[in-house]
Amino acid sequence: MDSGSPIGPDQPATPPASATPSPGPELVRPKGGTVDPRKVPWTRATPAGDGVMISWSSGVEPCYTLDRVDVKESDTEVTVTLWEGTTDPEAACIQIAIEKETFVKLAKPLAGREVVDGAK
């Protein structure tokens, strides 16, 4: 399943004061290939079409990159586990919380099944 430009000497390290964050969560897709992926707890699962939208708080890329999403479905519940890692172990990232979400397609409709966080 599936960056930004590096900061050079002529580019400011911080955005100008006029820059405003985008409204709502950032929609991300798993990128794979991260270093040291770890389970990340999510905060909300919302039914959406043929799957669920999973929301969580995270940090900025490349330090906090969605590596993969594991899904285990049974007749009574769907367990979703998010994995984040870094794509650049040498990067210096600011400590700021970003709301993110990703769409998880299910093999069959949610149909009343409970969505469980596999990181907890």
Side-chain angles (χ1 to χ4, degrees):
M1 291 188 206
D2 300 72
S3 350
S5 304
I7 296 174
D10 339 89
Q11 297 172 313
T14 57
S18 62
T20 56
S22 59
E26 176 184 344
L27 182 61
V28 297
R29 297 174 113 173
K31 294 185 178 175
T34 68
V35 176
D36 296 326
R38 64 210 166 276
K39 293 179 182 180
V40 177
W42 46 264
T43 55
R44 185 175 62 248
T46 308
D50 58 353
V52 292
M53 192 66 76
I54 302 294
S55 304
W56 74 103
S57 290
S58 185
V60 297
E61 289 193 30
C63 297
Y64 301 91
T65 301
L66 183 60
D67 182 86
R68 69 184 184 275
V69 179
D70 292 339
V71 180
K72 181 180 174 187
E73 298 187 45
S74 75
D75 290 337
T76 58
E77 65 184 27
V78 175
T79 302
V80 178
T81 308
L82 301 180
W83 293 83
E84 281 187 336
T86 181
T87 56
D88 182 358
E90 303 299 317
C93 292
I94 60 172
Q95 294 298 309
I96 185 171
I98 297 173
E99 292 300 313
K100 296 181 180 180
E101 63 183 7
T102 193
F103 177 75
V104 177
K105 186 173 180 172
L106 300 177
K108 61 182 185 178
L110 193 56
R113 294 183 289 170
E114 180 180 5
V115 183
V116 177
D117 188 346
K120 294 184 177 177

